[in-house]
């Protein structure tokens, strides 16, 4: 029995699987848009986890290239004293976003998440009322609510930011999965 190739469709299902904990309704709509069944989403996630955990599997960067193909673009960035490459792949489910993999010298993957596509306009974020699920990225929220304080996420592929509503002064925690805003909690 041959296994079907694992490509961009299956990868999008993996992204959705982790998001389903916080936004099951949006995930259901997206899954239907992709014409994928719930069992196909589970199977994609199972196969992805097997690739990630394989003792002699591909490294993270090779895995992304094998699943997503060559990146749409690559940008050299400096973070402190270190230079790295930001590789960007399109994600058809979210045309204004790109999946970004930050690669250090030696091909070590530092970070992997969704970011706004170059040239695509992000949402105007003035108050916490402007935060809508799947509307913005970690970087957009951090910039809009500076100084945001990074916090550890509740699971792998999850991030959180402690932010303050500029209107009310109330503290909040913005939660993200794969870099995409999911929900706002009281801080």
């Amino acid at each position: 029995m041959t296994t079907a190739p694992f490509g961009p469709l299956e990868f999008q299902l993996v992204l959705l699987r982790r998001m389903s904990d916080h936004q099951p309704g949006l995930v259901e709509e997206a899954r239907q848009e992709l014409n994928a069944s719930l069992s196909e989403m589970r199977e994609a996630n199972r196969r992805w986890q097997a690739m990630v955990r394989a003792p002699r599997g591909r490294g993270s960067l090779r895995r992304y290239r094998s699943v997503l193909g060559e990146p749409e673009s690559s940008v050299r960035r400096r973070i402190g004293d270190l230079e790295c490459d930001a590789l960007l792949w399109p994600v058809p489910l979210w045309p204004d976003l790109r999946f970004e993999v930050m690669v250090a010298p030696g091909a070590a993957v530092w970070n992997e998440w969704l970011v706004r596509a170059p040239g695509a306009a992000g949402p105007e974020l003035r108050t916490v009322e402007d935060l809508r699920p799947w509307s913005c990225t970690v970087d957009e929220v951090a910039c809009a609510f500076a100084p945001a304080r990074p916090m550890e996420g509740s699971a792998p592929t999850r991030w959180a930011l402690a932010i303050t509503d500029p209107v009310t002064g109330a503290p909040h925690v913005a939660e993200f999965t794969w870099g995409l805003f999911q929900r706002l909690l009281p801080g």
Side-chain angles (χ1 to χ4, degrees):
M1 179 168 110
T2 42
T3 304
F6 195 101
L9 169 63
E10 291 77 14
F11 182 70
Q12 290 175 101
L13 292 173
V14 168
L15 299 178
L16 290 173
R17 172 61 192 97
R18 182 58 84 181
M19 292 179 191
S20 66
D21 295 338
H22 297 307
Q23 294 299 329
L26 290 175
V27 167
E28 178 63 19
E29 289 173 22
R31 189 177 56 72
Q32 289 179 9
E33 185 178 325
L34 294 173
N35 285 328
S37 69
L38 191 54
S39 63
E40 287 170 319
M41 185 170 76
R42 286 188 192 121
E43 177 62 10
N45 192 63
R46 185 197 66 74
R47 289 178 62 197
W48 179 258
Q49 294 304 321
M51 284 189 278
V52 167
R53 289 176 173 74
R56 294 188 196 152
R58 304 175 186 118
S60 294
L61 181 56
R62 287 185 59 208
R63 183 175 50 253
Y64 284 118
R65 285 181 187 270
S66 73
V67 168
L68 300 173
E70 285 303 307
E72 175 182 81
S73 63
S74 176
V75 179
R76 194 86 168 143
R77 291 203 187 134
R78 181 175 273 301
I79 300 173
D81 292 340
L82 300 173
E83 283 194 18
C84 62
D85 292 313
L87 307 177
L88 299 169
W89 283 270
V91 185
L93 193 54
W94 296 286
D96 287 348
L97 300 177
R98 295 295 179 267
F99 190 75
E100 177 185 76
V101 175
M102 298 291 288
V103 183
V109 171
W110 281 350
N111 195 32
E112 50 221 318
W113 61 6
L114 294 164
V115 298
R116 187 71 50 195
E124 283 193 40
L125 303 173
R126 293 189 197 112
T127 73
V128 295
E129 300 298 320
D130 296 326
L131 296 173
R132 302 276 184 259
W134 294 14
S135 69
C136 48
T137 65
V138 170
D139 188 52
E140 291 166 337
V141 173
C143 289
F145 297 95
R149 184 174 51 84
M151 301 171 67
E152 190 170 327
S154 60
T157 72
R158 291 198 178 146
W159 294 264
L161 291 175
I163 62 173
T164 302
D165 187 328
V167 174
T168 66
H172 295 277
V173 175
E175 291 190 328
F176 303 82
T177 302
W178 290 107
L180 193 59
F181 177 71
Q182 300 296 311
R183 67 182 181 170
L184 188 69
L185 301 172

